[in-house]
Amino acid sequence: TTPTGTTAASTTTVRHTTTSSTPSTTESELLMSDASEDSYYSTPQISIEIVDIPLEDQPHHCAPTTARNLAWNWTRSGDTAIQPCPPGTSGLARWVCGGQDDLEASTEDSPVTWSSSQPDMSDCRSLSMTRLETKVEGGDLENVLSASLAHHTRSEIIYGGDVESAAAIMRTLSNRIQYLLQTQGDKFYNKAQYIQEVLLNMVRAASNLLSLANRAAWEDLATSRQVKAASALMQVLEENAFLFAETTEQEEVLVESSKNICKYSLHNLLPWSVPRKL
């Protein structure tokens, strides 16, 4: 099946198939859209082709399975299964089945398998995170936005796209704080307390993202994107800590207990359970 309304890079032919007991080939159109009135949240229209496959061809296909709250059908080796992200999110989920070498070597005793432990959900973003991005663009206050981000990352199911969106939001808020300090200077009322509030909310949001509960969301991303997002989180926290130190006129000890914020290893990517106080 080839999704319509996507870029050329995502038009890989995908077969959703069943066993030989399935009726003959049929075609149906699946139109997914969110309940939101905003058309921004609409999911592209997807055409699904149901194809019979003989039993002898099944070893050349990845078997049906469930992963990341989605059901995945038979997919031929070398093809990419594409379907809408889980309910409450926008975007498309993708999963590559094996490869050409696997297709040639596959047998009944050694069928092809999915190319990774879970699907590529980097395009999947929760609608609440998308709405938060809209508020960031609308110029809402930084302390309110950072508090909303901390709440969202603690209470919502998140996916790979949410991880990258959260890192981008934190970067934007940090840049806005720096701009306010440069342009308003002494006119920035109670700036130390304001920056402290934003910083603590960012620490909480980053800690929530790095929680074991959200490990699957990180694994939705390719390794290079995991490293990039984790590096962005740590960099933003450091920058805001320095901003707070620069604007504090008297010596003050700020302690936030956050067990998931620590120095990380690029080899291990994320230190899911190492405790530290920032």
Side-chain angles (χ1 to χ4, degrees):
T1 306
T2 302
T4 58
T6 59
T7 61
S10 63
T11 57
T12 306
T13 300
V14 180
R15 298 185 183 182
H16 285 242
T17 60
T18 61
T19 61
S20 56
S21 62
T22 307
S24 59
T25 302
T26 61
E27 292 188 1
S28 61
E29 298 254 326
L30 175 61
L31 180 61
M32 302 289 293
S33 60
D34 183 66
S36 172
E37 296 179 358
D38 191 344
S39 60
Y40 179 84
Y41 302 129
S42 297
T43 303
Q45 187 171 334
I46 304 296
S47 298
I48 297 179
E49 181 184 2
I50 303 176
V51 182
D52 291 337
I53 57 172
L55 289 175
E56 60 269 21
D57 286 343
Q58 290 185 15
H60 305 311
H61 293 71
C62 290
T65 186
T66 55
R68 298 298 280 141
N69 299 320
L70 291 174
W72 299 85
N73 211 331
W74 290 100
T75 303
R76 183 175 175 82
S77 180
D79 286 353
T80 301
I82 305 176
Q83 62 175 309
C85 293
T89 65
S90 62
L92 294 172
R94 299 170 174 83
W95 208 355
V96 177
C97 173
Q100 186 61 36
D101 294 339
D102 295 328
L103 176 61
E104 296 173 355
S106 59
T107 64
E108 184 175 350
D109 295 330
S110 180
V112 297
T113 58
W114 298 98
S115 62
S116 55
S117 60
Q118 67 183 59
D120 175 2
M121 311 283 281
S122 58
D123 191 40
C124 298
R125 290 188 303 169
S126 61
L127 299 181
S128 56
M129 181 67 78
T130 302
R131 287 191 286 268
L132 182 57
E133 288 180 318
T134 301
K135 292 181 180 180
V136 172
E137 295 173 358
D140 286 17
L141 294 175
E142 292 76 19
N143 59 345
V144 175
L145 293 170
S146 60
S148 297
L149 181 62
H151 172 75
H152 174 84
T153 52
R154 183 183 68 253
S155 60
E156 301 285 342
I157 297 175
I158 66 174
Y159 296 89
D162 291 316
V163 172
E164 294 184 322
S165 293
I169 288 174
M170 292 173 66
R171 162 56 57 199
T172 299
L173 296 182
S174 178
N175 290 341
R176 281 169 48 172
I177 291 291
Q178 294 183 53
Y179 177 77
L180 288 173
L181 289 174
Q182 293 172 0
T183 57
Q184 294 192 16
D186 295 336
K187 297 180 181 179
F188 193 160
Y189 176 73
N190 211 8
K191 57 185 176 183
Q193 182 177 347
Y194 189 80
I195 294 175
Q196 174 182 326
E197 183 178 355
V198 174
L199 171 61
L200 293 182
N201 283 329
M202 286 190 178
V203 170
R204 293 164 188 146
S207 179
N208 294 337
L209 288 171
L210 296 174
S211 169
L212 276 173
N214 289 324
R215 184 168 189 173
W218 286 88
E219 293 176 349
D220 288 339
L221 304 171
T223 300
S224 59
R225 296 173 73 166
Q226 291 183 33
V227 174
K228 185 177 180 180
S231 298
L233 290 178
M234 298 301 104
Q235 184 178 8
V236 167
L237 292 179
E238 289 181 359
E239 290 178 358
N240 279 271
F242 283 122
L243 285 176
F244 174 68
E246 292 173 2
T247 56
T248 303
E249 298 179 354
Q250 59 185 12
E251 184 175 347
E252 183 173 348
V253 177
L254 177 62
V255 177
E256 171 70 11
S257 179
S258 186
K259 66 179 180 180
N260 298 313
I261 300 297
C262 63
K263 184 177 181 180
Y264 60 92
S265 165
L266 292 181
H267 175 70
N268 295 322
L269 290 180
L270 297 171
W272 301 104
S273 60
V274 181
R276 182 188 180 189
K277 286 186 177 181
L278 177 65

